[in-house]
């Protein structure tokens, strides 16, 4: 059919559905050619396998069932779309509930949700999709030199607030990314120019889990480990206290026994001394 042919063959212009007549976005489309096309399921065709649906928050609040029906029509019309964009113009202040509904619809229908805050911004986004229809992801990727320091800078400057000077310092100190990853908190603090915030953020990147669930699991595990260590320490203290009490009791018993023996011996000596004294008196 004509629609399948449009979906597979690149078009020199942005094809616009008749439903979009009167949309203020069309007045802002100035950098790419466009034309109305009858029978289109999506609102815009911006590439051979890329289509775009447009919705405003205010219109969705007035007709909440409209977008779900339209997205279903696009899915039935063709399965050849590699990129389905849901372009949403945020034109209402009370938009939280509507944005949640649009997020759910985008996920269910495998669309990429893109937000614009004005008709001009929405038009620029449509022009961008059309201009880059034949380019891959490398076209918008930042160019990075292939030398070691440039690649190291590209990686480490993603950790805020590290800058290029800090990366040079880290490279001179540790020599490689592996050295930075394996560095301890004390080693990082010894680097000149790195404050506490930079050191803490850099250390957390390589030591803390990425997901919140993993962080909770690690925190729970650490808490359990702390409880076990405290319990073992308390047991050792109790054992030490019990051993000391036993030793004290044995020492007391031994002291009492010695005292009794000494008392008994002392009593016998006295009895033997008295006859000697008596004998001495008799001799005298």
């Amino acid at each position: 059919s004509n629609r399948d042919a449009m979906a597979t063959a690149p078009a020199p212009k942005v094809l616009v559905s008749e439903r979009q007549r009167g949309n203020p976005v069309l007045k802002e489309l100035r950098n790419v050619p466009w034309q109305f096309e009858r029978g289109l399921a999506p609102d815009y065709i911006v590439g051979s396998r890329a289509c775009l649906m447009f919705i405003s928050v205010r219109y969705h609040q007035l007709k909440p069932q409209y977008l779900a029906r339209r997205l279903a029509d696009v899915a039935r019309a063709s399965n050849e779309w590699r990129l389905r964009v849901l372009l949403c113009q945020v034109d209402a202040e009370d938009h939280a509930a509507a944005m949640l509904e649009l997020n759910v619809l985008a996920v269910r229908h495998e669309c990429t949700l893109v937000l614009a805050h004005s008709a001009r911004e929405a038009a620029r986004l449509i022009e961008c999709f059309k201009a880059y229809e034949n380019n891959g992801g490398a076209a918008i990727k930042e160019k990075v030199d292939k030398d070691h320091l440039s690649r190291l800078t590209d990686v480490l400057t993603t950790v805020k607030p590290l800058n290029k000077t800090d990366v040079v310092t880290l490279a001179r100190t540790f020599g490689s990314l592996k050295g930075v990853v394996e560095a301890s908190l004390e080693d990082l603090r010894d680097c000149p120019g790195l404050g506490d915030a930079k050191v803490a953020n850099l250390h957390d990147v390589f030591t803390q889990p990425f997901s919140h669930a993993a962080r909770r699991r690690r925190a729970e595990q650490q808490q359990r480990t702390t409880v076990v260590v405290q319990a073992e320490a308390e047991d050792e203290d109790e054992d030490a206290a019990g051993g000391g009490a036993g030793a004290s009791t044995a020492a007391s018993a031994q002291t009492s026994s010695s005292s009794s023996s000494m008392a008994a011996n002392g009593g016998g000596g006295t009895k033997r001394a008295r006859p000697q004294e008596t004998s001495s008196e008799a001799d005298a």
Side-chain angles (χ1 to χ4, degrees), residues 50-65:
C51 68
L52 189 146
M53 296 292 295
F54 179 84
I55 190 73
S56 67
V57 170
R58 188 175 301 173
Y59 191 85
H60 178 71
Q61 291 173 338
L62 292 175
K63 298 183 178 181
Q65 304 299 326

Side-chain angles (χ1 to χ4, degrees), residues 13-131:
K13 299 180 180 180
V14 174
L15 301 181
V16 184
S17 172
E18 292 283 347
R19 297 184 182 88
Q20 292 296 299
R21 287 188 181 275
N23 190 337
V25 173
L26 297 179
K27 296 180 180 180
E28 303 293 341
L29 279 177
R30 302 170 182 173
N31 299 319
V32 294
W34 60 274
Q35 67 180 31
F36 286 111
E37 188 74 23
R38 293 182 179 179
L40 292 184
D43 292 330
Y44 301 86
I45 293 180
V46 293
S48 58
R49 301 268 178 122
C51 68
L52 189 146
M53 296 292 295
F54 179 84
I55 190 73
S56 67
V57 170
R58 188 175 301 173
Y59 191 85
H60 178 71
Q61 291 173 338
L62 292 175
K63 298 183 178 181
Q65 304 299 326
Y66 168 80
L67 184 61
R69 185 176 65 254
R70 291 292 317 282
L71 291 175
D73 292 341
V74 172
R76 285 193 298 266
S78 177
N79 294 323
E80 299 296 327
W81 302 114
R82 186 176 61 184
L83 175 63
R84 300 177 185 179
V85 177
L86 176 57
L87 179 58
C88 174
Q89 181 177 341
V90 184
D91 57 354
E93 294 184 0
D94 186 15
H95 57 266
M99 290 306 307
L100 178 60
E101 296 172 359
L102 293 173
N103 270 286
V104 172
L105 287 173
V107 172
R108 287 179 178 176
H109 294 274
E110 299 180 352
C111 295
T112 300
L113 180 61
V114 180
L115 303 182
H117 294 272
S118 65
R120 177 175 297 181
E121 185 179 1
R124 297 292 86 78
L125 290 170
I126 295 173
E127 294 171 353
C128 183
F129 279 114
K130 181 60 180 176

Side-chain angles (χ1 to χ4, degrees), residues 144-156 167 170-172 174-180:
V144 179
D145 296 333
K146 296 183 178 181
D147 61 283
H148 177 262
L149 182 59
S150 297
R151 292 187 175 185
L152 189 63
T153 302
D154 183 56
V155 172
L156 293 181
V167 175
L170 292 170
R172 290 176 178 174
F174 302 105
S176 64
L177 179 61
K178 180 180 179 182
V180 176

Side-chain angles (χ1 to χ4, degrees), residues 231-250:
E232 292 177 351
E234 291 175 358
D235 292 340
E236 292 178 357
D237 293 340
E238 290 178 359
D239 293 340
S248 179
T249 303

